[in-house]
């Protein structure tokens, strides 16, 4: 399949470079999408409840 060691090394380099580009594209897409927020019934934002609030 490979004529010599240089072809083999070049093939590994190209494969690794393609993997790095794919990972970078996934990271860019993840940063571009809005973060999911926790929502409850009727799309109201849920706020974290402190334990001391229930006693007041």
């Amino acid at each position: 399949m490979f004529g010599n060691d240089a072809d083999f090394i070049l093939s590994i380099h190209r494969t690794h470079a393609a993997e790095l580009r794919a990972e970078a594209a996934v990271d860019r897409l993840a940063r571009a999408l809005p973060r999911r927020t926790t929502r409850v019934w009727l799309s109201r934002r849920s706020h974290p409840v402190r334990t001391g609030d229930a006693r007041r």
Side-chain angles (χ1 to χ4, degrees):
M1 181 171 169
F2 300 104
N4 56 32
D5 289 341
D7 290 338
F8 178 68
I9 299 294
L10 187 58
S11 173
I12 290 174
H13 170 73
R14 287 181 177 153
T15 302
H16 187 241
E19 289 172 356
L20 290 176
R21 282 193 299 271
E23 288 177 7
V26 168
D27 289 343
R28 277 193 307 274
L29 179 62
R31 285 193 306 271
L33 295 175
R35 292 189 183 266
R36 296 186 67 167
T37 57
T38 306
R39 295 186 180 263
V40 291
W41 188 65
L42 291 179
S43 298
R44 294 183 184 146
R45 290 182 189 262
S46 69
H47 298 288
V49 178
R50 288 179 279 178
T51 56
D53 290 347
R55 288 180 267 161
R56 292 183 189 168

